[in-house]
């Protein structure tokens, strides 16, 4: 009998020891305790009392182990308490219990983001998006992680989708879009985003942050260039040999074109410009210039030049293209002298911050009047010009060096006579081909003084025998040397005072066009 009792006791012990413990999910649930602690925790979470909320969510999970909602809110609470590593553990455990939970993957991505594991966060968030395609927080954190990894286009797209899904989260997403635009250097778009946030939530911490960012960008932005510009110059000059050369036009020669006398004069120039369109790449502007000279004695050489103009300019990368139209109406001695129309395209290529090359072209139609000079209208014609100039800038010192070559030709008609009639000018006298070599150097400012030097050599070879030659059989040829030196000093940022010397030597095989000239000028200039 005793042995039977021992056998029964042994069997019962074995059954107890071999019976598995109930799984955690099968443990008893205290539903009342769960509902009480979870609802209180949710209220505290929404009131941002995260320490108390985390304690209540933990108690809720003890009452109902692996509960989906309590796990999610516990993880979110830990993230807000900046305990992202603990939150990650909560969400991983949540995934083990609920493998198809988009919220668990979202929480895991958020926890990884706050631990600066941005690539892992994007993987978790991408998996969450498959399960929760309309969850706005997924796209918001995709935007944040993408921005951290400098995937800026991806970040902008994610924030835009967040704004479309959640009007409440939209201001925060728009604020982040502004930050991304600022990182990209697209400051005008960044300002638009921040301004929208300020208007949407003005009296919030987010609105104040957007306002601060606006102020920082505004301070960093270069001042928007003015749409207008005015340049004025007043010069007092001494001219050793008064020669008519308005806007670079050669004198007609002889006793009327070259005075062989010296004189003093006052020269006033004014140039204004108004830019109707002024964008990063495009500029469209209109201008008007006036030049007026007053001689003390030789009033017959007083020049008045009106020059309205218009230009369009486009800048792409390292290339700037420009086309300009000019009209010139010139009076000499208060009589009409010249009407001129010109189209001037140019192309500038910036090879580096310190070097650029400029290619220029010009077509000019010239119509001369006989009012002031006899036979002046025989010079009517068309001028074609093409040239290239290379510039070398001394970056940081304000100096420069330039070298260039220009070819131009005047086509004036008049046929191609084998000989001219002396003293009877025709259009054949003025057709030429010209070659100009130019150079210049600007030295850095020293002791508040800036020195600029320039040199031009201009060879003009005329096509036909010239009527100004004694026999009417000589073709005119001019070698023109021109030297310029300028000393200037800035008085204010807008006003400068300068002294200029210009020496011209026109060596012509026809004595009537041969001359030497020196100009000494004191110049007061202003730019406004």
């Amino acid at each position: 009998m005793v042995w039977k009792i021992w056998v029964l006791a042994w069997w019962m012990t074995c059954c107890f020891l071999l019976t598995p413990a109930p799984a955690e999910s099968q443990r008893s649930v205290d539903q009342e305790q769960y509902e009480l602690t979870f609802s209180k925790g949710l209220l505290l979470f929404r009131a941002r009392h995260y320490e108390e909320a985390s304690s209540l969510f933990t108690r809720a999970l003890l009452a109902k182990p692996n509960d989906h909602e309590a796990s999610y809110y516990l993880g979110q609470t830990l993230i807000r308490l900046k305990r992202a590593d603990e939150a990650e553990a909560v969400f991983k455990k949540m995934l083990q219990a609920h493998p198809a939970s988009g919220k668990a993957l979202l929480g895991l991505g958020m926890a990884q983001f706050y631990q600066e594991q941005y690539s892992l966060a994007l993987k978790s968030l991408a998996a969450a998006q498959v399960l929760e395609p309309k969850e706005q927080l997924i796209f918001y954190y995709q935007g944040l992680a993408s921005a951290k990894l400098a995937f800026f286009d991806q970040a902008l797209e994610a924030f835009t989708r967040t704004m479309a899904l959640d009007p409440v989260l939209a201001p925060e997403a728009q604020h982040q879009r502004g930050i991304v635009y600022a990182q990209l250097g697209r400051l005008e778009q960044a300002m638009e985003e921040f301004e929208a946030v300020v208007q949407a939530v003005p009296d919030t911490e987010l609105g104040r942050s957007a306002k601060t960012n606006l102020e920082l960008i505004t301070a960093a932005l270069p001042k928007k260039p003015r749409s207008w510009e005015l340049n004025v110059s007043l010069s007092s000059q001494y001219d050793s040999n008064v020669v008519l050369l308005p806007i670079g036009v050669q004198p007609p020669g002889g006793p009327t074109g070259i005075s062989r006398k010296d004189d003093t004069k006052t020269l006033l120039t004014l140039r204004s410009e108004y830019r109707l369109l002024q964008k990063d790449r495009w500029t469209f502007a209109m201008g008007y210039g006036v030049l007026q000279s007053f001689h003390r004695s030789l009033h017959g050489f007083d020049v008045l030049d009106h020059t309205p103009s218009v230009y369009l300019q486009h800048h792409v990368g390292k290339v700037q293209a420009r086309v300009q139209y000019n009209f010139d109406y010139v009076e000499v001695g208060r009589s009409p002298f010249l009407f001129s129309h010109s189209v001037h395209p140019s192309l500038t290529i910036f090879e580096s911050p310190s070097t650029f090359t400029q290619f220029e072209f010009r077509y000019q139609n010239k119509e001369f009047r006989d009012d002031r000079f006899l036979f002046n209208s025989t010079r009517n014609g068309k001028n074609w010009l093409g040239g290239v100039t290379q510039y070398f800038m001394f970056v940081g010192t304000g100096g420069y060096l330039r070298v260039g070559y220009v070819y131009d030709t005047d086509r004036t008609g008049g046929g191609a006579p084998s000989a001219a009639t002396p003293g009877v000018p025709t259009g054949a006298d003025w057709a030429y081909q010209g070659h100009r070599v130019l150079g210049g150097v600007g030295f850095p400012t020293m002791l508040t003084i800036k020195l600029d030097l320039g040199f031009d050599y201009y060879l003009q070879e005329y096509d036909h025998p010239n009527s100004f030659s004694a026999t009417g059989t000589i073709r005119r040829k001019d070698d023109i040397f021109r030297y310029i030196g300028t000393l200037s000093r800035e008085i204010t940022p807008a006003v400068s005072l300068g002294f200029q010397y210009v020496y011209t030597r026109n060596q012509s095989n026809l004595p009537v066009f041969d001359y030497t000239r020196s100009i000494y000028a004191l110049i007061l200039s202003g730019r406004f």
Side-chain angles (χ1 to χ4, degrees), residues 408-521:
D408 81 307
T409 179
D410 259 11
R411 300 295 92 192
T412 57
S418 57
T421 303
V424 183
T426 68
D429 285 335
W430 309 103
Y432 74 87
Q433 297 187 57
H435 304 271
R436 175 176 291 174
V437 178
L438 53 94
V441 58
F443 295 93
T445 302
M446 298 180 63
L447 301 176
T448 73
I449 302 297
K450 184 171 178 58
L451 173 63
D452 294 88
L453 300 175
F455 165 76
D456 283 5
Y457 167 66
Y458 191 17
L459 170 64
Q460 289 183 320
E461 295 181 306
Y462 287 77
D463 298 346
H464 311 297
N466 199 285
S467 66
F468 286 87
S469 66
T471 61
T473 59
I474 300 174
R475 295 184 182 184
R476 177 183 169 190
K477 178 184 175 183
D478 288 8
D479 291 280
I480 306 171
F481 299 87
R482 188 165 179 255
Y483 306 88
I484 305 173
T486 306
L487 286 171
S488 61
R489 183 180 185 277
E490 188 178 89
I491 300 174
T492 72
V495 179
S496 63
L497 181 65
F499 173 78
Q500 186 177 77
Y501 173 69
V502 181
Y503 174 80
T504 305
R505 178 68 180 101
N506 193 133
Q507 295 178 340
S508 178
N509 62 339
L510 299 181
V512 71
F513 294 104
D514 191 274
Y515 67 89
T516 301
R517 183 188 193 193
S518 293
I519 298 177
Y520 304 84

Side-chain angles (χ1 to χ4, degrees), residues 91 113 175 208 219 232 264 284 295 356 403 445:
F91 288 122
F113 171 80
H175 185 263
R208 288 187 286 273
V232 182
T264 60
F284 176 64
H295 285 77
F356 64 92
V403 291
T445 302

Side-chain angles (χ1 to χ4, degrees), residues 99-373:
S101 172
K103 285 191 172 182
L105 287 165
L106 165 61
L108 179 60
M110 293 171 62
Q112 291 166 335
F113 171 80
Y114 286 111
Q115 293 180 88
E116 300 182 2
Q117 300 169 4
Y118 304 122
S119 297
L120 288 177
L122 284 177
K123 291 180 181 178
S124 299
L125 292 166
Q129 183 182 342
V130 175
L131 299 169
E132 299 281 349
K134 294 186 178 181
E135 173 56 58
Q136 65 275 11
L137 275 178
I138 294 174
F139 299 108
Y140 178 71
Y141 276 92
Q142 281 180 335
L144 292 178
S146 297
K148 290 291 187 180
L149 293 170
F151 302 153
F152 295 121
D153 290 340
Q154 185 175 318
L156 289 171
E157 181 183 353
F159 290 133
T160 301
R161 297 185 69 177
T162 305
M163 293 168 64
L165 287 170
D166 189 352
V168 176
L169 194 57
E172 179 64 48
Q174 193 160 26
H175 185 263
Q176 293 296 333
R177 276 172 57 89
I179 293 173
V180 172
Y181 279 132
Q183 289 175 308
L184 286 169
R186 293 154 65 176
L187 300 184
E188 290 186 1
Q189 289 173 284
M191 292 178 70
E192 290 176 3
E193 301 291 343
F194 292 137
E195 285 170 355
V197 173
V198 171
Q199 292 178 2
V201 287
D203 298 321
T204 64
E205 183 178 346
L206 182 63
R208 288 187 286 273
S209 176
K211 186 177 180 181
T212 299
N213 287 334
L214 267 175
E215 293 170 351
L216 290 172
I217 292 177
T218 303
L221 276 175
K223 291 185 178 180
K224 188 176 180 179
R226 293 176 304 183
S227 58
W228 60 272
E229 186 174 303
L230 178 65
N231 291 277
V232 182
S233 173
L234 181 64
S235 174
S236 178
Q237 300 183 358
Y238 168 75
D239 192 338
S240 69
N241 183 2
V242 176
V243 176
L244 180 63
L245 283 172
I247 63 169
V249 176
Q250 277 285 345
T256 59
I258 303 172
S259 72
R260 315 293 178 181
K261 298 178 182 179
D262 64 334
D263 200 3
T264 60
K265 65 180 178 181
T266 299
L267 183 66
L268 173 66
T269 60
L270 184 147
R271 175 70 188 171
S272 61
E273 181 177 296
Y274 180 73
R275 291 174 280 276
L276 291 84
L277 174 66
Q278 191 170 215
K279 297 293 185 181
D280 291 340
R281 294 185 176 182
W282 289 96
T283 304
F284 176 64
M286 302 177 67
Y288 195 87
V290 176
L291 178 149
Q292 175 72 73
S293 66
F294 300 97
H295 285 77
R296 186 185 65 179
S297 302
L298 303 174
H299 302 299
F301 286 87
D302 289 349
V303 175
L304 174 62
D305 180 8
H306 293 274
T307 312
S309 63
V310 61
Y311 74 82
L312 178 66
Q313 182 172 288
H314 185 47
H315 192 113
V316 179
K318 295 184 177 182
V319 179
Q320 177 179 288
R322 174 172 173 146
V323 59
Q324 180 165 325
Y325 165 77
N326 286 348
F327 170 73
D328 279 280
Y329 167 70
V330 183
E331 290 183 357
V332 176
R334 295 164 184 78
S335 297
F337 174 76
L338 172 66
F339 291 87
S340 169
H341 302 268
S342 63
V343 179
H344 189 173
S346 63
L347 186 70
T348 305
I349 301 174
F350 298 88
E351 298 90 359
S352 73
S354 58
T355 61
F356 64 92
T357 306
Q358 187 173 71
F359 299 89
E360 61 175 330
F361 312 90
R362 186 189 68 197
Y363 165 75
Q364 183 182 32
N365 184 72
K366 298 183 288 187
E367 181 183 342
F368 291 89
R369 297 300 179 91
D370 292 328
D371 301 67
R372 172 67 175 83
F373 300 101

